[in-house]
């Protein structure tokens, strides 16, 4: 996976700075509470939501267990329909493939559908370094791009901006990217939307190359699916002559019947709509309809290693609905930028460390960016047990060992650990292997119990500063057992 946002500190420091911004907190609180309330109402309308949730979980798990089979089937279906499939092991390879494909067209501009995968690999920056300008066409992504900003939410990347800030960005930056903002632009939603529409229209009409991701890929037909609410995606998918789609390998579903489940759960769980206003599907190429050339770039970038982790692989079920962000008390206060990744919130706290590893300071801190309240699990439409994976990743961070592949499994190799910890473990092993020494030590501890401190000295204060050390019993267990014959003499001969 491409690196973290440049200059981002570990989550605790970034979050500490974010919670000190009252404007950011106000924007996040208003937006997340609004989306959350609408989602609850939309989900409550479905009597079999629990069954749909379980069905989505099982479809995803079944697909992940046979991912190799379905990927080969998908490739065959796409090629049979007139498309070309490329395989990218990592971000660099994916960026190189897309850059070369654009250069082959002779174009220096592309229009883009909102895509987490292309953000993950830093595609815009890679294209820019090759002299190719990428234009984001999703309204929120446009705001982020014009503002030289970073996305902070999966569904609403500019959720940290209010209407006044958006108006200022449009007035100050639109002219450098194309058609300027209208004179006298106000911060009313209708005027802001119209300014974006006018700005983007000329780009849609002249673009020869479109770049997208996909919400789903149907293996048995080679069909790709994009769901969206604005119509910009439909324009990017139909008007250009060449379409390049960069999609993570986990986005696959076996059949159209499986897709039906997610087309019910995704819109309600993300935008709180009964169905998406725009659901675009395409299968290869068709004469005189849509792009004449279609390329599919299948992206691994850490997903195979994640798949091999029996606990962590459930993160690959994610359908990017963002419901977990909207209920998370940590995200609501810290915002998305503190996560140092294009995947913020609870899902980002378990996905980014698996795709990128836990070697960096920020990735090692992400599994702790949670209160483990479980609200994220309750709203997840594919039942990802995010708290379980967080605890699993915390274990990985604490052990600190490298993650290596052994056969078909990913194994965490134990680290050497801290010198004091290693010394304590060696002393405990030596003591427990010698019953006489253990008995003597227990008796000594009991007889000196009144002299024991209630908290640890030195570095141990970080643990015992808010809790007392366990009290040493007045009599060691072994002595009590011997004196009472296992408790029988104290209980009148019975237990």
């Amino acid at each position: 996976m491409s690196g973290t946002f440049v200059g981002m500190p570990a989550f605790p420091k970034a979050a500490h700075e974010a919670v000190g911004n009252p404007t950011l907190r106000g924007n996040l609180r208003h937006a997340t509470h609004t989306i959350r309330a609408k989602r609850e109402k939309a989900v409550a309308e479905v009597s079999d939501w629990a069954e749909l949730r379980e069905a989505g979980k099982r479809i995803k798990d079944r697909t992940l267990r046979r991912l190799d089979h379905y990927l080969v089937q998908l490739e065959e279906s796409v090629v049979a329909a007139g498309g070309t499939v490329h395989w990218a092991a990592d971000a660099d390879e994916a960026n190189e493939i897309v850059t070369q494909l654009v250069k082959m067209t002779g174009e220096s501009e592309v229009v883009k559908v909102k895509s987490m995968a292309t953000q993950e690999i830093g595609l815009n920056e890679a294209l820019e370094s090759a002299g190719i300008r990428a234009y984001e066409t999703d309204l929120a992504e446009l705001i982020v791009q014009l503002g030289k900003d970073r996305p902070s939410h999966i569904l609403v990347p500019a959720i940290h901006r209010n209407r006044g800030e958006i108006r200022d960005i449009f007035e100050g930056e639109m002219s450098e990217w194309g058609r300027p903002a209208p004179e006298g632009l106000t911060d009313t939603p209708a005027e802001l939307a119209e300014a974006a529409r006018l700005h983007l229209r000329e780009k849609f009409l002249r673009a020869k190359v479109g770049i997208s991701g996909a919400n789903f890929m149907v293996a048995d037909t080679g069909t790709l699916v994009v769901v969206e609410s604005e119509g910009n995606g439909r324009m990017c998918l139909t008007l250009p002559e060449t379409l390049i789609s960069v999609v993570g390998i986990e986005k696959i579903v076996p059949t159209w019947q499986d897709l039906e489940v997610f087309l019910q759960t995704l819109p309600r769980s993300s935008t709180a709509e009964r169905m998406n206003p725009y659901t675009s599907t395409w299968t290869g190429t068709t004469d005189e309809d849509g792009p004449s050339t279609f390329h599919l770039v299948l992206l691994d970038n850490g997903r195979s290693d994640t798949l091999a982790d029996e606990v962590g692989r459930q993160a690959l079920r994610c359908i990017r609905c963002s419901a977990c962000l909207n209920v998370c008390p940590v995200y609501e206060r810290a915002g998305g930028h503190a996560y140092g990744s294009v995947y913020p919130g609870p899902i980002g706290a378990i996905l980014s460390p698996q795709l990128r590893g836990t070697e960096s300071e920020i990735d090692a801190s992400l599994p702790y960016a949670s209160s483990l309240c479980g609200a994220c699990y309750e709203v997840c439409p594919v039942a990802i047990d995010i708290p379980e994976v967080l605890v699993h990743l915390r274990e990985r961070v604490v052990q600190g060992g490298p993650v290596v592949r052994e056969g078909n499994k990913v194994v965490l190799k134990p680290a050497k650990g801290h010198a004091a910890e290693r010394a304590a473990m060696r002393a405990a092993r030596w003591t427990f292997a010698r019953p006489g020494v253990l008995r003597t030590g227990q008796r000594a501890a009991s007889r000196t119990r009144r002299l024991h401190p209630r908290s640890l000295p030195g570095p141990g204060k970080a643990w015992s500063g808010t809790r007392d050390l366990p009290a040493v019993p007045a009599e060691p267990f072994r002595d009590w057992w011997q004196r009472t014959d296992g408790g029988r003499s104290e209980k009148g001969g019975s237990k």
Side-chain angles (χ1 to χ4, degrees), residues 1-3 88-99 120-123 126 299 301:
M1 187 173 182
S2 58
D90 54 28
D92 291 339
E93 189 172 356
N95 287 332
E96 178 63 22
I97 291 171
V98 176
T99 300
E120 173 189 324
I121 63 177
L123 179 60
L299 177 68
N301 207 32

Side-chain angles (χ1 to χ4, degrees), residues 303-377:
R303 287 160 174 79
S304 291
D305 288 339
T306 303
L307 180 63
D309 186 328
E310 294 183 358
V311 177
R313 71 172 58 154
Q314 57 185 298
L316 297 179
R317 291 185 208 144
C318 179
I319 58 175
R320 310 292 192 265
C321 72
S322 77
C324 62
L325 280 69
N326 300 323
V327 299
C328 178
V330 177
Y331 174 85
E332 180 185 325
R333 289 157 179 81
H337 291 159
Y339 293 82
S341 167
V342 298
Y343 302 112
I347 187 62
I350 65 171
L351 187 58
S352 298
Q354 294 193 87
L355 296 181
R356 301 190 303 210
T358 55
E359 289 75 21
S360 71
E361 184 181 16
I362 190 167
D363 288 314
S365 70
L366 287 179
Y368 297 91
S370 170
S371 64
L372 299 180
C373 68
C376 50
Y377 170 66

Side-chain angles (χ1 to χ4, degrees), residues 101-134:
L101 290 175
V102 176
K103 285 184 175 180
M104 288 170 57
T105 68
E107 297 295 317
S108 60
E109 293 182 343
V110 300
V111 289
K112 290 185 67 214
V113 186
K114 181 179 181 297
S115 164
M116 301 297 294
T118 59
Q119 291 174 355
E120 173 189 324
I121 63 177
L123 179 60
N124 287 11
E125 294 77 10
L127 291 174
E128 183 178 4
S129 66
I132 301 167
R133 199 165 201 185

